[in-house]
Amino acid sequence: MIENLIEISKDELLGEVQKAKYEGYRFVTASCADTGTGIIDVTYHFDKDLALRNYRIKVGKEDEISSISGIYFCAVLVENEMKELFGLNIANIAIDYGGHMLLADVDFNAPLTRSQIVIEQRGGK
Amino acid sequence: MAKTIVPFGPQHPVLPEPLQLKLVMEDEKIVEAIPAIGYVHRGLEKLTELKEFTQNVFVVERICGICSFQHAMAYCQGIESIMNIQVPDRGRYLRVIWAELHRIHSHLLWLGLLADAFGFESLFMQVWRDREKIMDIMEETAGSRVIISANTIGGTRRDISKEMLSKIVGVVDEIKADLNRVESVFFNDYTVKQRLVGVGVLSKDKAYELGAVGPMARASGIKQDLRMTGYAAYGELDFEPVVETDGDCYARTLVRLKEVYQSIDLVKQAVAKIPEGETFAPCKGNPDGETISRVEQPRGEVLYYIRANGTKNLERLRVRTPTFANIPTLLHMLPGSQLADVPVIILTIDPCISCTER
């Protein structure tokens, strides 16, 4: 059981994150978990005085979500990581590595998802 | 003025592991820095889904050698919280002792690397000579110098005898005496101060905004240390985080140096208070549920997000390591600095790429 877990819609994300910043929360990180049903749980973790507040959104594999790096710049690395390892479609990341922060052209797409390995590699090879 | 892009790394004498920073320069001054990681990413998070949850203790230890004990501890605490396992008191104290010994050797390693980075070879050797004493303790108590595999779900798989505990106190006292002899070099030496004071300044507000953790945050005046939450046996020991306010490379050095003394004190407190009894509680069944476990590693806060589904395999294990959180601070500290200061500034975040590339 995770304490202070708040489920929100992806449309509410930026508003809630802005509110967390206004209330003095530190951005800790975000975690993805593939539910195996085509939905990825994305949990954003924030800390204030050593207590966590967690926001969770459910994201379909085709959905686009907004980057929070405009509010918390330090989210750039984890958002690029989520984009590459889970194939999330995150728009407007402050520094977007274009899918090449961790992966090379020859690597499989979204290697941390539960989908079966498809023999199709990046770069059309 | 014309701008030049200088690739700093991935192979550089000051970097033991591959990390690249693309430095946009105007003459010798940096105007922008863009980090590039991913050279040695291992996909260990995926591996933990394929191994049984009990085997993962050994996988997470291999995320990083230097803070291997705290990785295993964070993971075990997470599983224990899902499965409602109460760790025996002796196990909790043993965890503190080994964790603080790891912090001492990590900080001594860093202090030596810092001295080496600005060319103070004799200081580097003095500090690393003391670190060897901790490595010897690791070997004597657990059979291995770096990855000691002392943690298990439910407590610790090994005990430390009364005689060995006395020996540990003797060794940390020796280290304290040795450090007392060299600390004035770190505190007062002209060359050291010239290279560190006023370099790579990170203000308190900026450190908080950029999500800095560990000694990085504490050197900028943020009193943030997860040991304050009292996990393991920390709640039963006298502990106050080391905080400096200048936010420069010198402040980060002072924090780590003072934390060595603090860890020595914590080891001695834990040895004095450790009760007799079992070191672990048996783990029965499989975990079902999700949790977040956080621990203060030598480099700062590590976060484990664990999701289990009642089988032997976890659905998800996510690790956010302290270096991953501290890299964005470089993007603020480096612009405006001179090229010659880049190695020292990078080193003061104590970068651990094996953690970052878990």
Side-chain angles (χ1 to χ4, degrees):
Chain A
M1 177 66 82
I2 296 179
E3 288 178 11
N4 298 325
L5 178 65
I6 305 160
E7 297 219 7
I8 57 173
S9 73
K10 58 182 189 297
D11 296 331
E12 294 173 299
L13 176 65
L14 289 185
E16 292 296 331
V17 170
Q18 186 70 63
K19 200 169 109 189
K21 183 160 190 184
Y22 182 74
E23 290 173 14
Y25 277 85
R26 170 176 64 93
F27 176 70
V28 179
T29 193
S31 306
C32 287
D34 190 346
T35 58
T37 59
I39 298 290
I40 292 175
D41 286 345
V42 185
T43 312
Y44 295 83
H45 312 284
F46 298 88
D47 174 282
K48 187 179 177 186
D49 300 331
L50 301 175
L52 282 175
R53 178 191 282 181
N54 309 282
Y55 292 108
R56 176 167 292 166
I57 57 172
K58 293 189 176 295
V59 184
K61 288 185 178 168
E62 305 301 322
D63 294 346
E64 180 182 284
I65 56 172
S66 303
S67 165
I68 65 163
S69 59
I71 303 166
Y72 285 98
F73 175 75
C74 53
V76 288
L77 291 181
V78 73
E79 287 191 330
N80 275 283
E81 189 176 87
M82 293 194 296
K83 187 174 176 175
E84 294 181 27
L85 300 184
F86 283 87
L88 291 185
N89 184 7
I90 304 176
N92 303 319
I93 305 178
I95 300 174
D96 194 332
Y97 287 81
H100 291 92
M101 186 176 87
L102 300 174
L103 300 180
D105 278 340
V106 294
D107 294 326
F108 291 114
N109 283 319
L112 259 62
T113 52
R114 288 182 173 272
S115 54
Q116 285 185 312
I117 294 171
V118 178
I119 309 300
E120 178 190 358
Q121 292 181 316
R122 295 167 65 83
K125 293 176 185 171
Chain B
M1 185 179 287
K3 288 181 181 170
T4 314
I5 296 178
V6 176
F8 187 93
Q11 307 301 330
H12 188 280
V14 83
L15 297 171
E17 300 171 282
L19 165 74
Q20 192 190 49
L21 285 152
K22 290 185 175 71
L23 303 174
V24 182
M25 315 275 306
E26 277 179 359
D27 198 7
E28 289 280 311
K29 190 177 161 192
I30 294 145
V31 291
E32 198 179 356
I34 300 168
I37 59 174
Y39 292 97
V40 286
H41 198 275
R42 294 166 290 167
L44 290 179
E45 288 181 2
K46 189 67 181 175
L47 182 63
T48 60
E49 294 171 18
L50 308 175
K51 299 281 183 191
E52 293 182 10
F53 77 95
T54 48
Q55 296 173 318
N56 284 338
V57 182
F58 305 105
V59 177
V60 298
E61 277 186 322
R62 279 152 181 83
I63 289 175
C64 168
I66 304 303
C67 35
S68 58
F69 188 84
Q70 281 100 335
H71 271 294
M73 187 170 164
Y75 174 74
C76 290
Q77 286 187 176
I79 298 288
E80 285 153 9
S81 130
I82 293 177
M83 299 178 78
N84 289 319
I85 297 172
Q86 191 69 40
V87 178
D89 289 345
R90 189 171 181 84
R92 293 189 296 113
Y93 275 83
L94 286 171
R95 280 183 174 174
V96 167
I97 292 169
W98 269 309
E100 292 309 316
L101 289 173
H102 267 76
R103 194 178 317 278
I104 294 170
H105 92 68
S106 175
H107 282 352
L108 291 177
L109 175 102
W110 180 84
L111 288 165
L113 289 175
L114 180 77
D116 184 52
F118 53 65
F120 209 142
E121 295 297 325
S122 59
L123 186 57
F124 155 75
M125 286 186 274
Q126 294 282 344
V127 175
W128 274 35
R129 185 180 59 187
D130 278 331
R131 179 176 179 264
E132 278 303 303
K133 294 175 184 169
I134 299 291
M135 309 316 285
D136 290 342
I137 290 177
M138 297 293 183
E139 189 168 4
E140 213 165 328
T141 55
S144 150
R145 283 163 54 87
V146 180
I147 297 177
I148 64 171
S149 298
N151 267 300
T152 189
I153 294 165
T156 59
R157 67 176 66 245
R158 292 173 185 273
D159 201 350
I160 302 179
S161 67
K162 196 179 277 184
E163 296 73 32
M164 190 63 211
L165 287 171
S166 305
K167 186 176 174 182
I168 290 172
V169 170
V171 171
V172 294
D173 277 340
E174 268 177 45
I175 292 172
K176 188 175 180 182
D178 289 346
L179 266 186
N180 282 334
R181 280 193 286 274
V182 297
E183 69 169 24
S184 63
V185 181
F186 282 109
F187 287 150
N188 305 318
D189 184 84
Y190 175 80
T191 314
V192 173
K193 290 181 93 169
Q194 283 292 311
R195 292 304 309 272
L196 302 178
V197 173
V199 174
V201 176
L202 185 67
S203 68
K204 183 178 181 180
D205 289 345
K206 209 66 191 174
Y208 197 76
E209 185 188 330
L210 291 171
V213 296
M216 284 293 297
R218 293 193 284 277
S220 293
I222 300 172
K223 192 178 171 183
Q224 171 190 296
D225 191 317
L226 283 164
R227 288 174 288 179
M228 291 161 74
T229 61
Y231 67 84
Y234 286 108
E236 293 149 37
L237 305 174
D238 286 334
F239 170 75
E240 190 65 27
V242 175
V243 177
E244 292 285 331
T245 52
D246 288 346
D248 56 4
C249 291
Y250 185 64
R252 294 191 273 279
T253 307
L254 295 189
V255 167
R256 291 192 177 99
L257 186 57
K258 289 177 182 175
E259 283 189 357
V260 175
Y261 288 122
Q262 183 183 55
S263 292
I264 289 171
D265 179 51
L266 285 169
V267 168
K268 290 169 74 173
Q269 282 189 55
V271 169
K273 288 187 175 177
I274 190 169
E276 292 295 331
E278 296 295 319
T279 66
F280 73 97
C283 163
K284 292 174 185 165
N286 296 322
D288 192 2
E290 60 181 347
T291 193
I292 293 168
S293 170
R294 292 192 294 169
V295 158
E296 189 72 21
Q297 289 188 341
R299 293 174 175 88
E301 165 197 65
V302 66
L303 178 144
Y304 272 66
Y305 166 70
I306 302 170
R307 180 184 280 199
N309 55 10
T311 68
K312 286 183 175 179
N313 295 92
L314 298 180
E315 242 180 63
R316 175 81 173 118
L317 175 66
R318 153 97 174 120
V319 187
R320 202 284 271 120
T321 59
T323 300
F324 199 81
N326 282 331
I327 285 177
T329 62
L330 284 176
L331 278 61
H332 174 74
M333 291 189 294
L334 289 174
S337 305
Q338 296 295 308
L339 181 61
D341 289 330
V342 172
V344 172
I345 295 173
I346 292 177
L347 209 64
T348 56
I349 77 161
D350 196 1
C352 177
I353 305 306
S354 61
C355 270
T356 310
E357 310 270 31
R358 65 223 169 273

